[in-house]
Amino acid sequence: MTYLSKRVAINLDAVTVIYLVDRWVVRIKLKDSLLPDQDLDFRAFLNENGCSYRPSVPISRALDGLDASMSITEVMNRCQVVVVSHGALQPADIEDFRATFVRGLGYCPPSLV
């Protein structure tokens, strides 16, 4: 997320971060298409830091609810998923979630590293 927040050329529309027990799900929506060189760089970054993910039904419903302007709390209650952040890129939200989660557990699970 820090990398994305520093990429001025990438015009982000919205970033959604959902935490699952074994992984992070990140959906990135761009306002505009990327130039070919930007697209290659962006795809390379994504491939180095994750893998493609086909959302399960609950995750799809959560993303649809967020797109329909439901509140994060309403989506979490309805779909039983943990939405860490949605909208403008907020790396601090992700770090705050991680710190709170680790403090509550007393250790840092591998999925939060």
Side-chain angles (χ1 to χ4, degrees), residues 2 7 14 43 47-48 54 58 69-70 76 95 103 106 111:
T2 302
R7 294 288 303 191
R43 288 179 189 272
N47 287 331
E48 288 175 14
R54 181 172 294 259
S69 299
M70 289 173 60
M76 289 193 299
E95 189 53 41
R103 190 171 41 252
S111 60

Side-chain angles (χ1 to χ4, degrees), residues 8-84:
V8 177
I10 296 176
N11 201 358
L12 296 173
D13 183 35
V15 176
T16 304
V17 179
I18 295 174
Y19 179 70
L20 303 177
V21 174
D22 61 344
R23 72 187 64 144
W24 295 92
V25 175
V26 179
R27 181 182 65 170
I28 301 166
K29 295 174 95 177
L30 303 174
K31 290 181 183 176
D32 301 310
S33 298
L34 298 174
L35 298 172
D37 287 345
Q38 292 173 319
D39 184 62
L40 287 173
D41 288 345
F42 189 59
R43 288 179 189 272
F45 165 76
L46 293 175
N47 287 331
E48 288 175 14
N49 291 285
C51 60
S52 295
Y53 171 75
R54 181 172 294 259
S56 63
V57 172
I59 300 299
S60 292
R61 285 186 184 143
L63 294 171
D64 290 344
L66 293 166
D67 288 343
S69 299
M70 289 173 60
S71 73
I72 289 175
T73 304
E74 188 177 1
V75 168
M76 289 193 299
N77 289 333
R78 183 183 223 196
C79 302
Q80 300 299 302
V81 298
V82 178
V83 179
V84 177

